[in-house]
Amino acid sequence: MNTIGLIGGISPQSTILYYQILNDLANTKFGGNHSCKAIINSLDFGEISKLQSKDDWDTLDEIMKNAGKSLESAGADLIIICANTMHLCIDAVRSAVSIPVIHIAEATAEKIKEAQINKVALLGTKYTMEKDFFKDILLSSNIEVVIPDSNQRQIIHDVIYTELAKGIINNASKQIYLQIIDNLIDKGVKGVILGCTEIPLLIKQEDVLVPVFDTTKIHANAAFNSTLK
């Protein structure tokens, strides 16, 4: 195995999921007591979310660039950003390092194409749903993207930041998410992207009638497969 560098802490809950998935993949692949070779640079989510709310992406680019450089210096062979939203800074990270940085949306688009689905719903933070960095990659693969309405986007966003990022799992919030998903299915979507790395804490495939694309799991699998020499 090569060594995976994780830019984590954004939020800690999703970083825990990544770490567990990567270690489970390594143990399944190699057996025995094997685990994944990984280096984690865990950022302060409070600082990150404050800068996001100020729309200060220049400062966020610098923070992410420095995180990427530190992982490369520490011996990482490739990097993943353990958050969908912070892929808004992926170009800054890529410009600062000489090792691969795997894009979560590119990995997700590949899985959707494999499933032969061409119309999906995208759930995530407001930044992920409303900005183009994720949607453009899907559209370039001829995948139509549908997002919830403005009020629903705010609800999804608030649950992520006030509950899921803190590890709070609220059944009432789950039911609201499922109502929103059902509404999107009624609009003709054939699959649902869990486009925030915390949403899989709340929504599982067994909860939804159409295929669910868990970006955390997809991204971690893509990174692990890239480590194999």
Side-chain angles (χ1 to χ4, degrees), residues 1-3 22 26 30 34-37 77 224 227-229:
M1 283 181 289
N2 286 319
T3 300
L22 289 169
F30 299 109
H34 285 287
S35 56
C36 185
K37 294 179 180 178
D77 297 297
F224 179 76
T227 70
L228 303 178
K229 297 179 180 179

Side-chain angles (χ1 to χ4, degrees), residues 124-168:
T125 67
K126 286 198 300 181
Y127 313 109
T128 298
M129 291 185 287
E130 295 174 0
K131 294 181 182 291
D132 292 331
F133 73 100
F134 201 110
K135 291 182 285 188
D136 280 351
I137 289 173
L138 298 176
L139 290 170
S140 70
S141 296
N142 296 314
I143 299 166
E144 183 182 350
V145 182
V146 180
I147 61 173
D149 66 32
S150 178
N151 181 59
Q152 292 171 336
R153 293 197 299 272
Q154 188 64 55
I155 292 169
I156 292 167
H157 180 90
D158 289 344
V159 168
I160 291 167
Y161 278 81
T162 64
E163 297 177 16
L164 299 180
K166 299 177 181 180
I168 299 169

Side-chain angles (χ1 to χ4, degrees), residues 32-176:
N33 294 319
H34 285 287
S35 56
C36 185
K37 294 179 180 178
I39 303 167
I40 302 174
N41 185 326
S42 187
L43 303 177
D44 176 6
F45 187 55
E47 179 184 6
I48 297 297
S49 58
K50 185 176 181 180
L51 290 166
Q52 289 174 340
S53 67
K54 292 180 177 179
D55 210 27
D56 188 355
W57 294 96
D58 288 339
T59 301
L60 288 164
D61 276 347
E62 287 301 312
I63 291 171
M64 296 294 284
K65 281 168 64 174
N66 290 334
K69 287 190 286 188
S70 75
L71 289 170
E72 184 173 28
S73 297
D77 297 297
L78 61 98
I79 291 172
I80 53 174
I81 300 168
C82 299
N84 281 272
T85 298
M86 292 310 294
H87 279 72
L88 280 160
C89 300
I90 193 169
D91 289 340
V93 178
R94 284 175 166 168
S95 72
V97 300
S98 59
I99 56 178
V101 185
I102 298 175
H103 200 303
I104 196 166
E106 292 170 356
T108 301
E110 286 301 315
K111 287 296 179 183
I112 295 170
K113 286 192 292 184
E114 287 175 15
Q116 298 183 321
I117 290 173
N118 59 13
K119 185 175 182 178
V120 294
L122 174 62
L123 307 187
T125 67
K126 286 198 300 181
Y127 313 109
T128 298
M129 291 185 287
E130 295 174 0
K131 294 181 182 291
D132 292 331
F133 73 100
F134 201 110
K135 291 182 285 188
D136 280 351
I137 289 173
L138 298 176
L139 290 170
S140 70
S141 296
N142 296 314
I143 299 166
E144 183 182 350
V145 182
V146 180
I147 61 173
D149 66 32
S150 178
N151 181 59
Q152 292 171 336
R153 293 197 299 272
Q154 188 64 55
I155 292 169
I156 292 167
H157 180 90
D158 289 344
V159 168
I160 291 167
Y161 278 81
T162 64
E163 297 177 16
L164 299 180
K166 299 177 181 180
I168 299 169
I169 309 300
N170 186 324
N171 188 59
S173 297
K174 177 174 182 173
Q175 296 309 312
I176 293 170

Side-chain angles (χ1 to χ4, degrees), residues 6-7 12-25 80-84 87 104 197 215-221 223:
L6 292 81
I7 302 179
Q13 301 303 321
S14 65
T15 308
I16 291 167
L17 287 175
Y18 271 93
Y19 189 64
Q20 179 161 3
I21 292 166
L22 289 169
N23 282 295
D24 288 347
L25 288 168
I80 53 174
I81 300 168
C82 299
N84 281 272
H87 279 72
I104 196 166
T197 46
T215 56
T216 308
K217 189 176 293 184
I218 291 168
H219 199 205
N221 272 269

